[in-house]
Amino acid sequence: MRISLNMMHSQVLDGLMSDADKLSEAQNRASTGKQILKPSDDPMGAARAMNLRSSLSQLDQMSRNTSAVKNQLGLTDNALKTIASQLSTVRRLAVQAGNAALSTPERNAILVQLDEVSTQLVNAGNVQYDGKYILAGNETRTAPIAKNPGGAPPYAYNGDTGTQSVYIAPGITIASNITGDKVFNMGGSADPNTPDVFKMIADLKENILNDNTDAVSKSISSIDTNLTNVNAIRTQVGARINRIDDTANQLADTKLNMKSMLSDTEDVDLAQAITDVQVRTNAYQAAIATAQKVFSLSLSDYLK
Amino acid sequence: MPGYLNFGIIQSALSATQQAINVTSNNVANATTPGYRRQEAVLDEISPASDGKIGSTNFAIIGNGVRLDAVMRAQTNFVDRQLRASNGDSEYSSSLSKSLSQVESCLAEPGTSGISAALDKFWNSWNDLSTSPESPAVRATVISSGQTLANRLNNLYMNIKNAQSGTDDVLTDDVKQINEITHRIGDLNAQITDVLSSGAQPNNMMDQRDQLLDQLSGLVGIQVNGNDQSGIIVSVAGRTIIQGSQVSDLETQTGAGGNLSVCWKSDGTPINLTTGSMKGVLDARSTMEGYVTNLNTFTQELINRVNTLHSSGMDLTGTQAGNFFAGTDASTIAVDPTILNSPSKLAAAGSTAPGDNSVAVALAGVKDEVMPALGNVSLTSSYANFVTQIGGDVKKATSDNEVNSLNQKQLTAQRESISGVSMDEEMMNMMKFQQSYSAAARVFSVISSMMDTTINMAGNR
């Protein structure tokens, strides 16, 4: 084959350009650590990477959701714990008051304690998280337990029965709240045959004042019903928290898997990438050296 | 002139060798001139006058020296035909891949600054709102993530549209260039025919014409027929564009949808190209039109779904909410001004209660919802598919271009191998003619001294 001057130049130039191109590509991969820099590098891989990244972003959000819900439920559980312990106090006081041999000062002391318990219960019912009343259903800006202006029953529930569902995993929601009406059996929402907690305490006080020990003893069954109800709700809340923990652990595993899948799809094997850069650099150097040799050769140098 | 020493022979040798050296010089001088084809001095023996006779036929014994018969230009017709076809294909895939890559680079995918990431953040913000539907700060986040998403969609739309309208400028320039080239070829055709008929060899004009044909073949893809004597015939897309000095012009016309189309000027028929950079530009434009359609379908689904859910809800003031997104497609999508101006107009609730998060949850759930209008995939997957489609198109165009340009390079090398100037060869020719010249000069001096001898012989008598 005849080799013309232009051919020699363009061949050397093509070689240099393609080596330089490959070197720059290898450098780019090594420095970014990514093997898919644009969709056309691997269209299917790019789509996989996009879907994985989107799922990861969703999972991060899910962890934020779970921690928010868990905080709120934890606070709810605290409130319920307080309520249960206050109801136990009520029960203890009722048993004490059922004893006919009480002196008036002793009875008065019980009444004072019962007032204190009522206040504690109202406070627990109006517990707030992040500026909202968490036992008020959807009426989160209204204190759910408030004195009834009519006086009977003594306290009214000003919330609603709304529950807030929040995603804790893709496609899975969990209710993040408990409504106060159920907790305090307001309007008999938990047990229609039992008076609500506040009415029950008011009745108890009335009976103690009137020294109606019979009625006081009978009221213990109502206290038990309400206490059982609160404990049942506590169990429910505990179960939700457990479910959230389980889900969060699962999500953490899934996230790890997805991260490694994303890395497999997108990231370069760094050792490979660095070796590539070295190989390409050598090739490029060789091409430059060859060019120098080729161009230094000329027949005219040998003709006299 | 039997028996006489012939100075003419040696004189012809000196003159022919000088001319041959000139041809070599010209080759060396033009070794890097684009379009230049190697020329060769064709030396021929000057027919002898009749020296003898056999029967009634005169025959020659010794020739009358040498002459430069012609300066031939390297012929590469076969490779030319292949190379021009390859030019068309190579320029086609090159312009297609360049235009589509432009769109690809606007996507910023896969990564964290593209539409996909903006979409994720948007759904995430609704999730945040579902955990605190009353919070003004979270409301502001939802609105700003909606704005980011809308802006990125607007930008991508604008970028594709700009790339698309850029093709109009390219087409206008191409048509201008094509008309210029065809007219110059037509002129050269006429001149070449003239020069050839006068018996001379119009090498440089043919170089110019071949170069123009190469350019034209890259732009539109051409078929070349006919011969140099009567002028070549060039056809584009099955129709003659140049016949001798007759040239048909092309023009651009604004067609339906405001897109430019390329037509024959004489009768306005659209030109139906199959190859060449111009076809690449046209194909890129229609491919981009498909991208715009897909992007708009995606955006419409997004707007519809979000607005349907949002307007079913109540805002923080307990009023029925309006749309979240204004606009109808990727070019017009924006967060509704009502919401933009007052975040409390954002609907998280399905009722008037401030803690109701049902609409926020529903909107957060759209991320995993399957959209029948998008082929039963989620919005996220649909967008990933859109990106894959563009990536696939670019990948195909780029790898086609690699193959085509390799083919073009090989054919160019093949032609160069025939018609390019090889310095080694020219050096050898130079040596050859130099030696030939020295030898002729030597012969001349010998003849000259022989003549002296003869003359001296006469003088001594």
Side-chain angles (χ1 to χ4, degrees):
Chain A
M1 195 174 188
R2 284 180 78 252
I3 304 293
S4 75
L5 187 68
N6 282 336
M7 254 166 103
M8 210 153 75
H9 280 253
S10 65
Q11 268 169 8
V12 169
L13 186 64
D14 281 352
L16 281 174
M17 299 250 275
S18 108
D19 282 336
D21 188 38
K22 281 178 189 149
L23 175 59
S24 123
E25 211 171 280
Q27 271 170 342
N28 214 346
R29 290 195 199 296
S31 61
T32 58
K34 297 266 176 273
Q35 55 185 350
I36 303 178
L37 296 169
K38 48 190 195 304
S40 58
D41 288 341
D42 177 1
M44 296 316 290
R48 196 160 56 238
M50 284 172 69
N51 283 326
L52 282 169
R53 188 171 278 119
S54 162
S55 298
L56 278 169
S57 161
Q58 190 183 20
L59 290 186
D60 282 341
Q61 179 61 41
M62 291 304 122
S63 340
R64 281 200 293 281
N65 284 8
T66 47
S67 72
V69 174
K70 210 179 140 186
N71 285 345
Q72 184 171 337
L73 287 176
L75 216 59
T76 308
D77 187 51
N78 274 348
L80 291 172
K81 194 168 137 196
T82 311
I83 293 166
S85 94
Q86 294 300 327
L87 284 176
S88 299
T89 309
V90 173
R91 191 180 192 280
R92 185 170 48 77
L93 294 172
V95 171
Q96 222 179 321
N99 185 345
L102 280 183
S103 67
T104 311
E106 280 172 331
R107 233 183 294 148
N108 284 346
I110 291 175
L111 289 176
V112 169
Q113 284 189 61
L114 281 175
D115 281 342
E116 179 56 28
V117 165
S118 279
T119 316
Q120 291 289 331
L121 285 172
V122 171
N123 285 346
N126 289 337
V127 60
Q128 276 181 291
Y129 168 65
D130 199 15
K132 58 187 181 184
Y133 294 100
I134 57 177
L135 294 180
N138 285 336
E139 292 293 349
T140 48
R141 286 181 157 176
T142 315
I145 308 296
K147 270 221 156 62
N148 190 356
Y155 283 89
Y157 177 65
N158 289 336
D160 63 11
T161 55
T163 45
Q164 292 128 30
S165 297
V166 171
Y167 280 105
I168 53 164
I172 299 172
T173 57
I174 202 164
S176 64
N177 68 325
I178 295 287
T179 55
D181 59 338
K182 284 261 168 36
V183 176
F184 295 106
N185 190 23
M186 304 301 268
S189 62
D191 183 350
N193 301 319
T194 309
D196 71 62
V197 169
F198 300 103
K199 178 155 192 313
M200 183 186 79
I201 295 172
D203 290 351
L204 183 62
K205 274 167 67 184
E206 179 97 10
N207 289 330
I208 294 172
L209 261 177
N210 297 338
D211 208 5
N212 188 349
T213 45
D214 230 24
V216 169
S217 300
K218 270 186 192 156
S219 71
I220 290 182
S221 77
S222 299
I223 301 172
D224 283 344
T225 310
N226 276 327
L227 188 57
T228 314
N229 174 45
V230 171
N231 282 331
I233 294 175
R234 259 194 96 186
T235 315
Q236 208 184 325
V237 170
R240 279 194 214 165
I241 292 177
N242 284 343
R243 201 175 135 214
I244 290 173
D245 283 342
D246 280 356
T247 312
N249 287 339
Q250 258 176 38
L251 289 189
D253 286 351
T254 314
K255 206 166 129 181
L256 260 171
N257 280 337
M258 281 190 171
K259 270 196 174 147
S260 93
M261 275 157 78
L262 180 64
S263 168
D264 284 350
T265 309
E266 245 191 359
D267 295 350
V268 289
D269 175 353
L270 207 59
Q272 179 72 50
I274 292 168
T275 318
D276 271 357
V277 171
Q278 195 51 53
V279 170
R280 301 293 185 207
T281 311
N282 292 346
Y284 189 46
Q285 273 170 349
I288 292 173
T290 314
Q292 186 211 355
K293 275 262 186 292
V294 168
F295 290 130
S296 67
L297 280 181
S298 171
L299 182 60
S300 51
D301 292 342
Y302 297 90
L303 296 177
K304 291 275 151 52
Chain B
M1 295 187 290
Y4 290 98
L5 288 167
N6 190 346
F7 271 110
I9 293 180
I10 216 64
Q11 195 187 352
S12 77
L14 291 172
S15 142
T17 317
Q18 278 170 6
Q19 280 173 301
I21 291 260
N22 283 346
V23 172
T24 297
S25 304
N26 195 41
N27 279 344
V28 171
N30 285 299
T32 58
T33 308
Y36 180 77
R37 299 200 177 189
R38 171 172 70 96
Q39 294 176 10
E40 205 176 299
V42 181
L43 298 180
D44 195 19
E45 187 186 10
I46 301 171
S47 316
S50 60
D51 288 316
K53 212 170 190 180
I54 292 180
S56 60
T57 311
N58 289 331
F59 65 94
I61 300 171
I62 306 171
N64 263 333
V66 66
R67 68 187 164 93
L68 183 74
D69 186 44
V71 178
M72 290 303 293
R73 181 172 164 271
Q75 289 292 320
T76 56
N77 291 345
F78 180 65
V79 187
D80 283 346
R81 190 171 288 272
Q82 289 182 18
L83 182 59
R84 278 170 200 150
S86 167
N87 275 344
D89 293 343
S90 170
E91 294 302 318
Y92 167 77
S93 50
S94 160
S95 79
L96 184 65
S97 73
K98 260 184 225 150
S99 306
L100 295 183
S101 301
Q102 223 181 321
V103 175
E104 187 194 25
S105 63
C106 304
L107 293 172
E109 297 286 0
T112 50
S113 52
I115 287 174
S116 176
L119 197 60
D120 289 336
K121 289 211 177 92
F122 182 61
W123 303 133
N124 287 349
S125 69
W126 284 106
N127 262 309
D128 283 335
L129 188 64
S130 80
T131 57
S132 10
E134 318 84 346
S135 157
V138 177
R139 283 172 176 266
T141 320
V142 174
I143 292 165
S144 80
S145 69
Q147 263 181 308
T148 309
L149 178 59
N151 286 346
R152 290 206 182 149
L153 284 164
N154 299 155
N155 281 344
L156 183 58
Y157 178 90
M158 278 313 293
N159 283 328
I160 301 180
K161 272 288 169 193
N162 283 344
Q164 227 183 325
S165 61
T167 59
D168 280 353
D169 299 339
V170 175
L171 286 180
T172 314
D173 283 354
D174 279 357
V175 165
K176 216 157 101 188
Q177 205 185 343
I178 289 167
N179 287 341
E180 219 174 273
I181 291 175
T182 48
H183 279 281
R184 278 171 65 194
I185 294 177
D187 293 349
L188 282 166
N189 260 347
Q191 289 167 13
I192 287 169
T193 309
D194 276 0
V195 175
L196 280 175
S197 65
S198 77
Q201 195 67 27
N203 284 344
N204 65 330
M205 290 179 194
M206 285 158 95
D207 281 354
Q208 278 176 37
R209 189 177 63 183
D210 277 343
Q211 217 188 340
L212 290 169
L213 286 170
D214 286 349
Q215 276 181 36
L216 191 61
S217 70
L219 284 163
V220 284
I222 54 170
Q223 281 274 316
V224 181
N225 292 305
N227 56 40
D228 296 335
Q229 278 71 31
S230 53
I232 55 168
I233 300 159
V234 179
S235 41
V236 169
R239 208 168 135 164
T240 305
I241 190 164
I242 308 167
Q243 178 154 29
S245 58
Q246 297 294 311
V247 172
S248 303
D249 275 333
L250 298 181
E251 64 173 7
T252 52
Q253 281 182 5
T254 310
N259 282 336
L260 284 187
S261 65
V262 182
C263 302
W264 296 97
K265 197 173 187 176
S266 55
D267 54 10
T269 325
I271 189 165
N272 204 3
L273 295 171
T274 53
T275 180
S277 70
M278 203 182 217
K279 170 74 172 160
V281 169
L282 289 166
D283 279 7
R285 189 176 69 186
S286 65
T287 308
M288 286 184 224
E289 230 143 70
Y291 295 163
V292 170
T293 310
N294 288 352
L295 185 65
N296 278 339
T297 313
F298 166 82
T299 312
Q300 275 152 17
E301 272 311 290
L302 173 73
I303 296 174
N304 287 345
R305 192 68 193 122
V306 169
N307 281 351
T308 307
L309 289 170
H310 187 266
S311 60
S312 76
M314 299 281 180
D315 65 20
L316 200 53
T317 62
T319 324
Q320 188 76 38
N323 283 339
F324 181 82
F325 282 125
T328 52
D329 59 19
S331 65
T332 52
I333 185 173
V335 173
D336 198 277
T338 323
I339 292 174
L340 211 53
N341 296 333
S342 59
S344 64
K345 295 280 181 196
L346 191 71
S351 66
T352 52
D356 186 341
N357 70 349
S358 54
V359 167
V361 172
L363 275 160
V366 176
K367 185 198 185 313
D368 295 313
E369 250 178 50
V370 155
M371 305 282 158
L374 297 175
N376 284 324
V377 294
S378 68
L379 283 160
T380 304
S381 300
S382 163
Y383 186 73
N385 291 346
F386 173 70
V387 170
T388 311
Q389 184 202 358
I390 296 177
D393 287 350
V394 173
K395 187 180 178 162
K396 185 179 179 302
T398 314
S399 69
D400 280 357
N401 188 37
E402 271 164 25
V403 173
N404 288 341
S405 71
L406 193 69
N407 190 21
Q408 188 194 26
K409 266 183 196 146
Q410 276 168 354
L411 287 165
T412 310
Q414 240 179 70
R415 180 163 79 182
E416 263 297 312
S417 162
I418 302 168
S419 69
V421 176
S422 157
M423 282 305 183
D424 293 345
E425 187 184 45
E426 298 308 327
M427 288 300 116
M428 289 310 293
N429 281 343
M430 187 187 75
M431 293 299 294
K432 186 171 76 181
F433 294 130
Q434 189 193 3
Q435 283 172 357
S436 162
Y437 189 84
S438 315
R442 182 79 193 130
V443 171
F444 184 83
S445 80
V446 168
I447 294 174
S448 171
S449 88
M450 283 167 73
M451 292 294 257
D452 274 356
T453 310
T454 314
I455 291 163
N456 287 342
M457 276 166 63
N460 288 345
R461 195 176 291 170

